[in-house]
Amino acid sequence: MNGVSLSSVKLSPEVIAEAGLRLLNEVGLDGLTMRLVAKDLGVQASALYWHVKGKQELLDEMATIMVLRRNESLELPGRGVSWDDWVVDGAFGFRRAMLAYRDGGKVVAGTNITHPVIHRTTELTLRALQDADFPLVYVARTYPVVYHYTVGFTIEEQARHGSDYAENPYNLDKQVAKIDVQRFPLTASMLPHLFEDDADSAFEHGLRTILLGMKAGAPG
């Protein structure tokens, strides 16, 4: 860890959150503490509480930075871009933003992001899907499924990296070895598809399925 002396930086929620993100890749979410962030910044832990009230507020600020970096340049679909391709592209970008950090999915889950970028993202999403002839109330009630799927998939994907295990338990050969093929032949035969190595393909398959259901369930 490369601590930064107080004389070289002025504390703010953003500065503290950036330090938290730097440390996240080293220690993971469970190992991240206010005391550790303070040490990295070269200050006493008490100094942080003038800017963030505790670890949850720190996570809120860290999640805000991830979302801001992904969505600050977001625009409505360009000419010739379908609404579903636009949604898929946005979800992939959001997932990449979380994957850039160890436990990034867990950090984002359940956080309270109040930065205007989240309101702008919501406004553009409502507008894009309204332009695609979806009723606004239907979009407001249905689109969050895409968000929840993206965060949940990313949490599971990062868990399968096995970074919190001495040896990755999600290895396909190990999974196969644990299954009684005589009792569970379908599970054994489908295991490569249940635990696909190509996470991008698996993510898009699930996402497209959600969007097909969204289209099929729309009023009218």
Side-chain angles (χ1 to χ4, degrees):
M1 287 173 278
N2 297 317
V4 180
S5 67
L6 183 57
S7 61
S8 64
V9 64
K10 182 178 180 181
L11 288 182
S12 69
E14 294 78 15
V15 167
I16 296 168
E18 290 283 8
L21 288 172
R22 288 196 304 271
L23 291 165
L24 192 61
N25 285 334
E26 296 181 28
V27 302
L29 181 57
D30 291 340
L32 185 66
T33 64
M34 297 289 283
R35 186 179 298 276
L36 194 61
V37 173
K39 181 180 179 181
D40 182 79
L41 290 170
V43 300
Q44 295 295 317
S46 58
L48 302 185
Y49 291 96
W50 288 97
H51 306 277
V52 292
K53 295 178 181 178
K55 185 173 179 178
Q56 184 56 58
E57 194 164 304
L58 170 62
L59 297 182
D60 292 345
E61 294 293 338
M62 290 164 61
T64 296
I65 290 174
M66 281 191 264
V67 172
L68 182 62
R69 287 174 177 166
R70 161 54 197 160
N71 287 351
E72 61 182 344
S73 61
L74 184 68
E75 297 295 344
L76 289 169
R79 186 182 299 275
V81 177
S82 65
W83 70 271
D84 47 342
D85 284 344
W86 184 80
V87 170
V88 168
D89 181 68
F92 263 92
F94 182 34
R95 172 171 157 263
R96 284 192 296 270
M98 291 184 283
L99 288 175
Y101 299 97
R102 178 180 172 184
D103 293 333
K106 287 183 179 179
V107 169
V108 170
T111 50
N112 179 31
I113 303 174
T114 58
H115 191 282
V117 71
I118 201 68
H119 304 140
R120 182 175 182 275
T121 300
T122 302
E123 186 75 14
L124 290 174
T125 300
L126 292 170
R127 175 67 64 186
L129 297 185
Q130 183 185 53
D131 290 346
D133 295 327
F134 286 101
L136 272 178
V137 172
Y138 180 75
V139 174
R141 296 187 64 191
T142 309
Y143 184 80
V145 175
V146 173
Y147 174 86
H148 298 146
Y149 167 74
T150 304
V151 174
F153 187 99
T154 305
I155 291 173
E156 184 68 14
E157 180 180 1
Q158 292 186 309
R160 289 182 185 178
H161 288 164
S163 59
D164 291 329
Y165 294 92
E167 191 173 357
N168 192 337
Y170 291 96
N171 178 275
L172 185 59
D173 292 336
K174 292 180 181 180
Q175 293 290 325
V176 171
K178 295 176 182 177
I179 295 177
D180 185 334
V181 178
Q182 297 302 315
R183 293 181 64 194
F184 312 115
L186 298 180
T187 300
S189 65
M190 288 295 103
L191 202 62
H193 302 286
L194 292 169
F195 294 92
E196 284 192 47
D197 288 334
D198 188 346
D200 286 348
S201 176
F203 177 68
E204 183 166 359
H205 176 80
L207 190 56
R208 294 283 184 184
T209 301
I210 290 171
L211 298 182
L212 284 171
M214 183 176 177
K215 184 175 181 179

